[in-house]
Amino acid sequence: MNDRTTALVARLADSLFEGIQQDADLVRGWRGSFDIELLKLLRAVALVVLSRWFAAENQRLCAEAKARGFVVERHPKIRFLTLFGHVSTNSSYFRRTSDGQGFRPLNAHYEVQGSRSTIAVQRALTDFGMERSFADASKAFAEHYGVEVGTTTVQNITERHARRIRDEFEQWCQAAPEPPRSRRADVMVLAMDGCALRVTERVPAGCIGRKDLPRNQPVRVDRWVDVRLAKARRDGDATGVFVCKYDTFDTVLDSLEGAAKRCGMTDETQLLFLGDGGNGLMEAAMRRFPTARFILDRCHLRHHLFGVVEHIGTHPDAVRQLVDIFDAAIGSGQAWRVINELRVLVPADVPGKPIESCPITNLINYLHRFEDAVQYDEFEANGWPTGSGEIESGHRQVPQARLKIPGAAWTPANLNAMAATRAARESGLWDQFWPKAA
């Protein structure tokens, strides 16, 4: 607080304390609930003060408008929601006869409109709506602020701001400038992974073959889609910038490139890209970041090794030992040795069962594809990570904690808006996308 605000607090505290002293028995009667009762008292006082303030401000702003050549057209009564409750006041509407320009001084100066809520209320509701179901967010807002807000209102406000923040966050990523010399990163870690979330859409019954309904009657259809989470961070930093959306690899990587620049990426930065063996991920990553070193998540490799070692009939007690032997050879740059050992185990071709469907053949192809991405001894010697657990745990924090709660289903547009906004929150950028007091 600045000096003027501190002085105002002191004056208000003196007045409030004098008022309390005049009814000391009431305060003593609060006993152990004194802080709760005082909070209720402060809220009630604040609501009265706001009502009086806006009535006085409307008169002042009206006088200023008249001095600038505006004439009063009407004095409608408005009611808007604040963190302390609803405030009712006149909000005059003015029009200038010379050019027909009209405006509401109270709305122009304080951004308050009838049947609306203040930006502080909207931020608080969005805050709650980003963390829990809209019904629970409504209850949490009432518990914290003593004001009832309907579930539908919470949903509408949260999703509206989520769409706004999604667009602003995307622009923030795309408009990333060249980092200053002091912020340039020598090594940067990039990662991407996917998870399934449910979306719901209404389509004509004829489009899905429903013959029991009129062809054009809308029918709700639920499906699961792959939502991709990506992260950029400087090597050695625990925090970074998340990007989350339901879209193609290339589109997500476009945003990740901007996020990486915001974290200090330059043409000279050594890029490490961590990922699993998902179809097309490595290829898309290398198209976008051709100088990057792709690192295959070691846990995913071991998962494939376990599957094949069990498939070839290894004794249960020796499975882990053989996996460790293969893993050590691959990590030391000798994947070719493992490939040669596996080739002799590939069964002869069986009619009607292509050899390509054999797990051993699949692993051989897998090792060929990622031959340059499994040099784990080299990576560890450089101090580089070899696991993508960070981005996988990020799924639980960013999209899943809110978007995969029981019963949740989203339209694709709202899914992307909520996912992007949660990514911005988790990246420590929440304050950036809300107006700040002067």
Side-chain angles (χ1 to χ4, degrees):
M1 291 189 294
N2 57 36
D3 293 342
R4 293 177 64 185
T5 304
T6 301
L8 178 59
V9 168
R11 292 197 302 272
L12 294 175
D14 289 343
S15 298
L16 182 61
F17 185 68
E18 289 175 9
I20 287 177
Q21 280 188 315
Q22 294 175 16
D23 201 346
D25 289 342
L26 172 64
V27 179
R28 294 189 185 103
W30 292 343
R31 301 176 67 83
S33 300
F34 69 90
D35 49 351
I36 297 176
E37 296 300 328
L38 181 59
L39 181 59
K40 292 178 182 177
L41 176 66
L42 292 172
R43 285 174 176 164
V45 169
L47 194 57
V48 172
V49 169
L50 284 179
S51 297
R52 293 179 179 178
W53 174 261
F54 279 112
E57 278 294 277
N58 187 60
Q59 293 180 359
R60 182 186 68 83
L61 291 169
C62 284
E64 289 184 357
K66 289 178 181 179
R68 290 160 50 198
F70 287 85
V71 295
V72 179
E73 190 166 282
R74 56 185 182 272
H75 289 290
K77 195 88 169 178
I78 65 168
R79 184 171 182 264
F80 58 92
L81 181 62
T82 74
L83 289 176
F84 307 105
H86 284 92
V87 172
S88 296
T89 186
N90 287 328
S91 179
S92 302
Y93 181 78
F94 284 74
R95 186 174 295 280
R96 190 159 53 195
T97 56
S98 61
D99 58 8
Q101 179 186 351
F103 81 116
R104 294 181 189 273
L106 208 60
N107 182 20
H109 192 82
Y110 288 102
E111 300 180 20
V112 294
Q113 300 180 51
S115 303
R116 295 287 184 91
S117 50
T118 64
I119 193 66
V121 171
Q122 294 175 44
R123 174 169 178 168
L125 291 174
T126 306
D127 230 342
F128 286 124
M130 277 292 152
E131 293 299 327
R132 59 198 85 191
S133 72
F134 298 124
D136 286 345
S138 175
K139 295 175 185 176
F141 186 80
E143 178 183 346
H144 283 76
Y145 296 101
V147 181
E148 298 286 342
V149 178
T151 300
T152 302
T153 299
V154 176
Q155 179 175 355
N156 290 340
I157 288 175
T158 300
E159 291 181 344
R160 174 160 54 85
H161 281 292
R163 291 189 291 271
R164 174 185 63 80
I165 292 172
R166 172 202 59 199
D167 294 342
E168 293 180 9
F169 183 47
E170 192 65 32
Q171 292 170 8
W172 181 82
C173 289
Q174 293 177 356
E178 185 73 16
R181 185 171 298 276
S182 60
R183 284 287 300 153
R184 293 176 185 175
D186 294 327
V187 180
M188 180 161 292
V189 179
L190 310 176
M192 184 189 289
D193 193 32
C195 72
L197 295 177
R198 189 170 65 163
V199 298
T200 182
E201 296 177 281
R202 289 193 175 276
V203 300
C207 294
I208 57 173
R210 289 286 299 272
K211 297 182 179 179
D212 57 323
L213 296 172
R215 183 173 181 81
N216 292 327
Q217 181 171 329
V219 177
R220 171 174 164 160
V221 177
D222 288 351
R223 58 193 176 93
W224 291 85
V225 299
D226 195 23
V227 174
R228 297 188 167 99
L229 179 71
K231 183 181 182 182
R233 67 172 176 84
R234 300 166 71 95
D235 187 35
D237 285 0
T239 59
V241 176
F242 283 102
V243 172
C244 187
K245 64 176 73 176
Y246 161 48
D247 216 320
T248 63
F249 281 137
D250 290 332
T251 303
V252 178
L253 289 168
D254 283 345
S255 299
L256 180 62
E257 183 176 17
K261 289 180 180 177
R262 292 286 182 179
C263 292
M265 181 185 76
T266 67
D267 292 340
E268 289 73 40
T269 301
Q270 169 67 67
L271 300 177
L272 312 175
F273 199 110
L274 284 157
D276 59 21
N279 290 334
L281 172 58
M282 180 180 70
E283 292 74 13
M286 298 312 295
R287 282 196 305 271
R288 174 60 58 190
F289 304 101
T291 63
R293 189 71 184 268
F294 190 88
I295 301 176
L296 178 68
D297 174 59
R298 196 165 195 169
C299 288
H300 281 81
L301 170 65
R302 289 181 64 85
H303 174 76
H304 283 283
L305 290 174
F306 269 106
V308 168
V309 169
E310 291 170 352
H311 172 77
I312 61 181
T314 307
H315 190 279
D317 294 341
V319 168
R320 179 173 292 277
Q321 181 180 3
L322 185 53
V323 167
D324 288 342
I325 292 172
F326 282 164
D327 181 33
I330 293 169
S332 65
Q334 301 182 65
W336 57 271
R337 286 183 51 191
V338 177
I339 291 173
N340 290 339
E341 291 185 36
L342 291 173
R343 279 201 178 112
V344 301
L345 299 175
V346 176
D349 198 2
V350 178
K353 188 175 182 181
I355 199 67
E356 290 79 10
S357 65
C358 170
I360 303 175
T361 303
N362 290 340
L363 179 59
I364 291 173
N365 294 335
Y366 185 83
L367 291 175
H368 275 303
R369 178 185 171 202
F370 292 108
E371 187 172 2
D372 294 330
V374 292
Q375 314 291 325
Y376 299 121
D377 288 0
E378 175 192 342
F379 302 153
E380 290 174 353
N382 290 330
W384 298 347
T386 58
S388 61
E390 177 183 1
I391 195 68
E392 291 175 14
S393 64
H395 272 298
R396 293 190 291 272
Q397 298 170 259
V398 181
Q400 293 182 3
R402 173 63 181 94
L403 305 181
K404 206 173 184 178
I405 60 177
W410 308 86
T411 64
N414 281 335
L415 173 65
N416 269 341
M418 294 289 286
T421 304
R422 284 189 59 82
R425 278 170 58 90
E426 195 65 30
S427 302
L429 301 171
W430 191 237
D431 287 343
Q432 182 166 320
F433 298 107
W434 293 95
K436 298 175 178 61

